[in-house]
Amino acid sequence: MFDTQENRYITKGVNEQVPKEIQLRCWHLIDEKVKQSEIQMDYLQIFEFNRDDQRRTINITHRQEEPFFIDYHECRITKELINFQVKKLWVIEHTMLLPEEY
């Protein structure tokens, strides 16, 4: 389902609202999960973002529903991420999109 050699796409909303740093981080997390081979990857990958301005971090929850898994990650709020406000991002097969674009 998630072959790292396949082309990858982003929607207009992702292009306009999600910094490249976050896009690349999400693709990287999927690639790492595929390499682990411990779980079958679902066609839908869900990323949720929660800012912690006090700690200057963004907490990333990466999950899928079938078969279920959930991973937690963290990234520092850099200059490029100061205005990042997206709460959720989906990757359906090879396309990254905002839920409202579905």
Side-chain angles (χ1 to χ4, degrees), residues 12 30 39 43 70:
K12 181 180 180 189
I30 290 172
I39 195 161
Y43 76 99
I70 190 165

Side-chain angles (χ1 to χ4, degrees), residues 3-20:
D3 184 348
T4 58
Q5 302 304 313
E6 292 287 328
N7 290 330
R8 294 178 168 174
Y9 306 95
I10 60 172
T11 60
K12 181 180 180 189
V14 170
N15 188 51
E16 292 174 350
Q17 297 179 47
V18 180
K20 195 74 74 185

Side-chain angles (χ1 to χ4, degrees), residues 24-40:
L24 294 173
R25 181 72 181 262
C26 291
W27 288 123
H28 176 76
L29 292 174
I30 290 172
D31 291 343
E32 288 300 308
K33 200 68 176 174
V34 168
K35 285 179 192 172
Q36 291 175 5
S37 301
E38 61 190 42
I39 195 161
Q40 177 68 33

Side-chain angles (χ1 to χ4, degrees), residues 57-74:
T57 61
I58 296 174
N59 297 309
I60 303 170
T61 302
H62 174 203
R63 65 184 173 90
Q64 73 177 26
E65 296 184 357
E66 199 56 50
F68 181 79
F69 84 74
I70 190 165
D71 286 334
Y72 301 97
H73 307 275
E74 184 177 274

